[in-house]
Structure formats: structure tokens, C-alpha cells
Amino acid sequence: MQKRVLSGIRATGRLHLGNYLGAVKGMLALQDDPIYETFYMVADLHTITTPYNIEELRKNRREVILDYLAAGLDPEKSVIFQQSEISEHSELAFLLSSVTTIAKMQHLPTFKEKVKQYPQHATMALLNYPVLMAADILMYKAEAVPVGIDQEPHLEVARAIARRMNQDYGTNFPEPKSFQTKGSYVPSLTGEGKMSKSVEGSFINLTDDLETIKLKVAKIPTDSGKAPANVDPDSRIEGPMFGILPFVELFQGKEKADEYRRQYVSTGIKYGELKSELAEAIFGELAAFQGKRLELENNPEYVDRVIKEGAEKARKAASKTIIEVRQKMGLA
Ligand code: ATP
Ligand code: MG
């Protein structure tokens, strides 16, 4: 029997390098492995858990689908859909909220961070974010969830909910595990926290051109480029270069990063050259994606069809689960 996979991305903007390396690469790997049946959605309901603009949301729910397709998600192999079109997700989230305590949700680091980011918007929807995510996953009885490291606490919640539901109501939800890639944490360009769609100045989009990437990379904070004279040349000091080395490692490889580490304690680094080469390397990874995306932008009928067919397939799977859960909980 095939194993199910579910993942999603919020409709808060175009995809960035973090989304690509942390989530989409894993989504692609599982899509192309025949033992998995993959469901990939645009988490548009999760978008309204933080302040948003109506027109932007309308636009972004489609942009994410375009980014997915351009990155290689294939509607012949994966069910690609918009979460809000499947109303069963909201229903299951409500049902699952009956086995979830408020205290536990309030203590999650993700909840605390978002409240800090938007102090005026500590809403019920935000508190419920992990429960809705559990509903997304359990709806398809998914066992693997390709996501970045920031989502791990939410997976823990999904597992706890699955256990409680199985114990109290005799459902058979598997306990989902995250599937992580080597880019499971891409830092922000600002040097603080992770790269995020909703944090201005933190990200490089997959659709950025070389000029834009160069400008953004140029802004990554750096130091003088040389270790103090008394530092042992064999030691690995990374502190001052911390903001930039992860990018070198991800896009130019570990050897290149090690070369810079050595230069840092000997001759010193010229950040201008380093950044220019890095920008070229990042852009190089994105060229194929950008070509494919342009094609898709010129083929709206195809995209419409993918969205429509994806919803039909997702709905079919979702309705099975919701009927079963209603029955087991005494609602049918
Ligand atoms: P937002 O700021 O709106 O929350 P986001 O950039 O955090 O946007 P999400 O839609 O919340 O993106 O997350 C989509 C997927 O991308 C998740 O699997 C998440 O773990 C992954 N992801 C997000 N940011 C990063 C990052 N910087 N590095 C690695 N993975 C990431
Ligand atoms: Mg996020």
C-alpha cells in the first residue's frame, strides 16, 4: 500500500529560497518516489491567521500554484489544490479542536513569535493554526510531511491529536513525521531569524532576476572580512560570517564555504567578490524554474484545469475521512 504525504505553503507571497529548499525539494523527492501518494496544497486558510490584504490573498493563492508547478510539482503525480476549496478541512479542524487544550496551543513557540510580530492580532484563528494543520495532515492520513524545521512543533501537535483521536474515538490516524532536506533552515538575509515571506527584507524569491538577487545579497550583513591577528588559523570561527556562509554552503557547496573559512583566518575575505559569485550561483539554480514559470503564466487555462482537477481529487479523499470521523464521534 502507498503511503500518503501532505504539505502546504501559506498564500502570503511568492515562494522564496527557504520554501524551496526547506519544503518544495522534499515535496519533489516524495512525489517522484512511487511508494508515496502526495497531496500538496496552498494553505490559504492558514493565511488568514495573520493580518492580510484581500486582493493580495486572492492573487497569492494562484501564485503559489504557479510556483509549485514551475518548481516541478506534477499534477499527474501529485494532487495539487487550494485548501479552502475543501471545506472538510475547516470541519475536521473544529472536530479536532475538541481534543486540544488552549494552554498547549498558547505555549507553542510559533504562536508566541506571531503574537510578537502582530501584537494586535492574537486571534482564535492564530491559536488554532496547529489544529488546522493537524486537520490538513490527518485528513489524508498522511505519514510524511515535507516541511522546514520551523514546523516541527506543529507536527508534534498533529501526532498528539492523532493519538488522542485514536484512543478516544477509535480512529486510525497514523502519527505523521516530518521529512527534512538539507536546507531545512534557511536564514533571513537580515541575519536575524529565518527567511520568511511575511518579513520584508528577509527573502530572495524564486522569481527574482540576477540584478535583484545581487542587490539583496549585497545587503546581507558582514564584518571586516578578517579574523583578529591572534586567532589560530586552524580554528573554525564562524560568528562574524554567520549570515553569509550558510548561503555559500547551500548554493556553492561545503568546499567553497571551507575555503572562505580558511581565507578568513589568513588573507582575509573580499566580500564584494564573494557576494557577486554567490548571487550568480543562486541565480543559476533558478534559471530553469523561471523559464518554466513564464510558460505557465502564458497558459492560464492549464493552471485553471490543474486547480479544478486537484480540488476534485482532494475532495474525494477528504470526504471519506470526514464521514468516518463524524460517525466515530457520534455525529452520524
Ligand atoms: P510566512 O512568513 O507567511 O509564515 P513562510 O516563509 O514562513 O511564510 P510558510 O508558508 O509558513 O512560509 O511555510 C511553508 C513551508 O516552507 C514550510 O514547510 C516551512 O517549514 C518552510 N519554510 C519556511 N521558511 C523556511 C526557511 N527559512 N527555511 C527552510 N524552510 C522554510
Ligand atoms: Mg511561516
Side-chain angles (χ1 to χ4, degrees):
M1 215 179 70
Q2 275 183 311
K3 288 183 179 179
R4 291 261 184 89
V5 174
L6 179 285
S7 189
I9 293 189
R10 296 200 329 146
T12 41
R14 293 183 170 201
L15 300 202
H16 54 65
L17 297 177
N19 301 137
Y20 180 62
L21 298 177
V24 177
K25 277 220 160 167
M27 290 159 84
L28 287 168
L30 299 184
Q31 161 186 277
D32 295 329
D33 182 338
I35 76 156
Y36 293 104
E37 187 183 1
T38 43
F39 292 79
Y40 297 137
M41 59 173 208
V42 180
D44 50 2
L45 288 175
H46 278 104
T47 308
I48 70 167
T49 62
T50 44
Y52 72 100
N53 171 289
I54 297 169
E55 279 318 310
E56 298 260 308
L57 170 57
R58 200 165 276 138
K59 189 170 88 273
N60 285 333
R61 332 173 40 236
R62 193 180 172 91
E63 296 280 6
V64 175
I65 299 266
L66 281 168
D67 280 345
Y68 272 167
L69 295 172
L73 292 199
D74 178 353
E76 300 290 322
K77 296 182 185 161
S78 293
V79 179
I80 300 169
F81 65 103
Q82 291 163 327
Q83 178 190 32
S84 67
E85 281 207 81
I86 316 300
S87 56
E88 283 85 348
H89 285 239
S90 310
E91 182 177 348
L92 186 59
F94 184 75
L95 299 177
L96 300 183
S97 74
S98 69
V99 297
T100 316
T101 65
I102 298 167
K104 202 161 175 189
M105 298 300 99
Q106 279 174 326
H107 279 114
L108 288 171
T110 43
F111 177 72
K112 290 183 184 160
E113 269 157 37
K114 289 289 183 200
V115 171
K116 218 193 235 164
Q117 203 177 343
Y118 309 105
Q120 306 302 320
H121 289 266
T123 61
M124 288 302 297
L126 183 64
L127 191 64
N128 232 0
Y129 186 120
V131 183
L132 178 59
M133 182 164 156
D136 300 333
I137 298 167
L138 302 191
M139 184 70 83
Y140 302 96
K141 306 203 170 167
E143 292 177 57
V145 184
V147 280
I149 210 131
D150 62 300
Q151 294 298 317
E152 199 49 54
H154 292 160
L155 278 200
E156 192 54 54
V157 171
R159 287 191 284 271
I161 291 180
R163 277 195 299 273
R164 267 300 292 275
M165 289 296 292
N166 295 346
Q167 245 169 46
D168 294 1
Y169 299 108
T171 47
N172 63 344
F173 293 122
E175 288 187 30
K177 287 198 190 68
S178 65
F179 176 83
Q180 273 166 20
T181 57
K182 90 173 189 290
S184 68
Y185 183 86
V186 177
S188 163
L189 300 180
T190 62
E192 216 180 295
K194 75 168 191 65
M195 188 175 281
S196 290
K197 282 183 249 105
S198 62
V199 179
E200 211 38 63
S202 80
F203 55 80
I204 290 175
N205 287 123
L206 305 183
T207 44
D208 283 346
D209 59 23
L210 181 58
E211 231 12 71
T212 310
I213 296 174
K214 282 196 167 166
L215 286 173
K216 289 182 175 180
V217 170
K219 285 195 185 144
I220 300 176
T222 46
D223 60 348
S224 67
K226 198 165 177 356
N230 56 354
V231 163
D232 167 10
D234 291 328
S235 70
R236 281 171 64 102
I237 51 164
E238 314 210 329
M241 287 202 296
F242 179 77
I244 203 139
L245 272 190
F247 291 98
V248 171
E249 204 151 323
L250 286 167
F251 292 93
Q252 297 177 280
K254 189 170 174 318
E255 271 178 32
K256 189 81 190 172
D258 283 341
E259 193 184 312
Y260 285 134
R261 283 189 185 100
R262 283 193 298 272
Q263 272 181 30
Y264 190 76
V265 289
S266 54
T267 55
I269 289 181
K270 293 198 181 70
Y271 283 120
E273 275 169 34
L274 178 154
K275 286 181 164 183
S276 174
E277 273 181 38
L278 173 63
E280 300 270 358
I282 293 174
F283 182 67
E285 284 248 337
L286 302 180
F289 167 89
Q290 295 188 359
K292 183 120 186 264
R293 201 180 196 282
L294 265 183
E295 274 174 35
L296 289 159
E297 284 166 15
N298 291 321
N299 197 351
E301 296 82 17
Y302 170 73
V303 177
D304 289 342
R305 199 166 68 236
V306 168
I307 294 173
K308 184 164 169 284
E309 291 176 3
E312 283 161 10
K313 288 184 205 157
R315 195 169 294 121
K316 211 166 141 199
S319 69
K320 266 197 191 159
T321 305
I322 208 82
I323 288 171
E324 181 193 334
V325 177
R326 277 187 205 145
Q327 205 141 35
K328 296 211 154 130
M329 290 183 80
L331 296 162

